[in-house]
């Protein structure tokens, strides 16, 4: 059963998973506030489902604008029941290839942007005594890969603060879920992807090869964004939603492999680890 008559606030709805989620949520009988960064994108959201979808201009990197937008939405609609922090982008390049400017820009949007929106919405949900914060993370927020190190770092950071937030707000009636998609058929690997300006030949067989692979499957990824949207809606409707939701079969496999790796290493090196304590 999908919950109806709720107000969803979804960042980054101009395309991809955010756009599909906005449409499916509205079709199910909910109000959707969708944010975009360009004036010309507003009409596309307002017209998505008349009377149910409402576009707002928002750059999540402008934290004053974030607070003003949340205030305006609450004044207009009275509540925010579900926040989906979806705005973000991918950055490819080996660690050594990535400039500090490129790395900071990635962290600013994927981490600080999500943090700013979350902090702005929390007082609203605390006052309501209810709410659900959905962070669109990635399987890359659990398992790192060559060529995506700074993107990994931004999603690992999102995972870290959101896991703590889960424990902080659960007694207040607020739920938190990290959604961790695998490869989905969106523009993540296409038009929205950014690449480190610098390239170093030594990383051609690691970061370079991954770049080629991701570009080669763009448009043919196994993940269906409409089906993914329905999965997100199901966990929001659940009485006891998970902290983490792997999205897609490849994401499930990735998370299982990471869990097995950690478990095995802890077992293999347990004695060395234990030797670090005082001998009482």
């Amino acid at each position: 059963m999908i919950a109806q008559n709720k107000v969803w606030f979804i960042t980054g709805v101009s395309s991809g998973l955010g756009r599909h989620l906005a449409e499916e949520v509205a079709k199910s009988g909910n109000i959707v506030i969708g944010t975009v960064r360009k004036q010309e994108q507003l009409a596309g959201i307002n017209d998505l489902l008349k009377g149910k979808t409402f576009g707002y201009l928002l750059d999540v990197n402008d934290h004053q604008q974030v607070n003003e937008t949340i205030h305006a939405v609450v004044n207009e609609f009275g509540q925010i029941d579900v926040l989906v922090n979806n705005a973000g982008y991918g950055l490819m390049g080996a660690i050594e290839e990535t400039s500090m400017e490129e790395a900071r820009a990635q962290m600013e949007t994927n981490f600080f942007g999500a943090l700013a929106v979350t902090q702005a919405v929390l007082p609203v949900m605390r006052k309501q005594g209810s709410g659900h914060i959905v962070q669109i993370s990635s399987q890359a927020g659990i398992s790192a890969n060559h060529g995506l190190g700074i993107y990994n770092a931004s999603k690992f950071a999102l995972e870290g603060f959101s896991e703590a937030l889960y424990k902080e707000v659960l007694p207040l009636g607020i739920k938190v879920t990290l959604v961790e998609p695998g490869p989905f058929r969106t523009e993540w690997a296409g038009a929205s992807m950014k690449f480190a300006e610098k390239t170093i030949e030594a990383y051609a067989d690691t970061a370079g090869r991954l770049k080629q692979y991701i570009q080669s499957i763009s448009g043919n990824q196994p993940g269906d964004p409409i089906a993914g949207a329905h999965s997100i809606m199901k966990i929001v409707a659940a009485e006891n939603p998970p902290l983490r939701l792997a999205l897609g079969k490849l994401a499930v496999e990735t998370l299982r492999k990471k869990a097995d790796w950690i478990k095995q290493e802890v077992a293999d090196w347990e004695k060395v680890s234990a030797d670090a304590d005082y001998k009482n």
Side-chain angles (χ1 to χ4, degrees):
M1 182 69 178
I2 300 302
Q4 297 180 336
N5 301 317
K6 290 184 177 291
V7 177
W8 288 55
F9 187 96
I10 308 174
T11 65
V13 299
S14 61
S15 64
L17 182 60
R19 178 60 170 258
H20 288 292
L21 180 60
E23 185 171 5
E24 297 305 308
V25 167
K27 284 180 179 177
S28 71
N30 297 281
I31 296 293
V32 175
I33 313 303
T35 75
V36 294
R37 289 188 299 126
K38 298 177 181 178
Q39 183 75 35
E40 60 268 27
Q41 295 169 332
L42 284 173
I45 302 307
N46 289 327
D47 296 340
L48 197 58
L49 198 63
K50 288 281 192 179
K52 288 291 185 181
T53 55
F54 302 87
Y56 278 70
L57 277 177
L58 178 64
D59 181 349
V60 297
N61 295 327
D62 185 336
H63 300 170
Q64 180 176 343
Q65 187 185 33
V66 166
N67 287 309
E68 290 171 352
T69 301
I70 296 301
H71 184 71
V73 168
V74 174
N75 278 347
E76 180 69 23
F77 297 92
Q79 64 199 65
I80 296 176
D81 299 296
V82 184
L83 163 65
V84 183
N85 273 313
N86 174 70
Y89 67 93
L91 172 67
M92 290 204 68
I95 300 298
E96 188 180 351
E97 293 173 333
T98 307
S99 70
M100 291 300 291
E101 291 75 19
E102 290 166 333
R104 288 181 187 278
Q106 176 80 124
M107 294 299 295
E108 194 65 47
T109 297
N110 290 9
F111 171 66
F112 287 108
L115 176 60
V117 179
T118 299
Q119 288 181 331
V121 167
L122 278 170
V124 178
M125 291 185 172
R126 281 195 294 105
K127 185 176 180 180
Q128 295 169 179
S130 65
H132 198 151
I133 297 170
V134 179
Q135 312 283 36
I136 304 300
S137 180
S138 169
Q139 66 177 27
I142 293 290
S143 182
N145 212 339
H146 46 255
L148 285 170
I150 304 303
Y151 177 72
N152 292 136
S154 71
K155 293 300 186 180
F156 270 58
L158 178 67
E159 295 262 344
F161 97 74
S162 298
E163 185 171 330
L165 181 66
Y166 171 88
K167 297 174 182 179
E168 292 172 356
V169 301
L170 191 60
L172 306 179
I174 303 170
K175 301 167 184 176
V176 177
T177 299
L178 285 151
V179 175
E180 296 154 343
F184 269 71
R185 207 165 294 181
T186 67
E187 287 299 312
W188 182 86
S192 71
M193 176 65 73
K194 295 187 179 181
F195 301 92
E197 188 174 329
K198 184 178 182 180
T199 57
I200 299 173
E201 182 59 31
Y203 299 110
D205 288 336
T206 52
R209 184 165 294 178
L210 184 69
K211 175 181 175 181
Q212 292 174 355
Y213 170 72
I214 287 179
Q215 289 180 312
S216 72
I217 66 167
S218 183
N220 294 292
Q221 298 96 325
D224 176 353
I226 296 177
H230 290 166
S231 294
I232 293 170
M233 292 162 66
K234 286 175 184 175
I235 59 111
V236 168
E239 185 176 349
N240 295 301
L243 169 59
R244 289 185 170 86
L245 177 73
L247 209 57
K249 293 178 182 178
L250 285 178
V252 171
E253 181 182 347
T254 296
L255 266 62
R256 279 184 174 150
K257 285 182 178 179
K258 180 62 179 283
D260 290 344
W261 182 19
I262 292 173
K263 185 177 179 180
Q264 187 62 55
E265 282 203 325
V266 169
D268 290 346
W269 293 92
E270 185 174 3
K271 185 179 184 307
V272 174
S273 299
D275 286 344
D277 288 347
Y278 282 108
K279 309 299 187 288
N280 294 324

